[in-house]
Amino acid sequence: MNIALVKHIKKYYQLYILLLPAFIIVLLFRYLPMYGIQLAFKNFEPAKGIFGGDFVGLKYFSRFVNSFQFIDLIRNTVLISIYTLGIGFPIPIILALTFNQIKNGRAKRFMQTISY
């Protein structure tokens, strides 16, 4: 290691300690799960575990794209996404605005409790 770097770390060690939890969180929740992506490129066999199995490359991806159900699966995925954005997003906002218009406090709380 560079001597200047070691001096810098010793001088500002408190800042590096503050940085450590953020670094650990990024490592645990961003980089560690990426290891599981290798299963998409392997012939997974439960008896051999995650590390076992032969590497097959893009075999399963090409099988999926060439499947007769591919178009239906993509269409359903897009339709569900559109439904979620078009219906699932504005309905709670409209409901909250509607509750805001109720003047009777007891009725308002009752309706909010029922909807929850």
Side-chain angles (χ1 to χ4, degrees), residues 3-88:
I3 295 175
L5 179 63
V6 173
K7 285 183 181 179
H8 179 78
I9 291 173
K10 283 182 181 180
K11 183 176 180 182
Y12 297 108
Y13 74 95
Q14 291 114 343
L15 293 177
Y16 288 104
I17 291 173
L18 283 173
L19 185 65
L20 190 62
F23 178 75
I24 290 172
I25 287 172
V26 169
L27 185 70
L28 283 177
F29 295 109
R30 295 293 182 201
Y31 287 104
L32 205 58
M34 295 293 282
Y35 186 72
I37 290 177
Q38 71 171 327
L39 291 176
F41 302 99
K42 285 189 172 186
N43 187 13
F44 179 69
E45 297 176 27
K48 292 183 179 179
I50 292 177
F51 301 109
D54 299 327
F55 182 77
V56 293
L58 297 175
K59 172 184 169 185
Y60 295 117
F61 291 100
S62 64
R63 190 167 130 190
F64 170 67
V65 171
N66 294 326
S67 171
F68 69 94
Q69 295 177 329
F70 177 73
I71 299 297
D72 292 334
L73 292 170
I74 296 298
R75 186 187 74 235
N76 289 344
T77 302
V78 169
L79 289 176
I80 289 171
S81 297
I82 290 171
Y83 167 76
T84 302
L85 287 173
I87 303 296

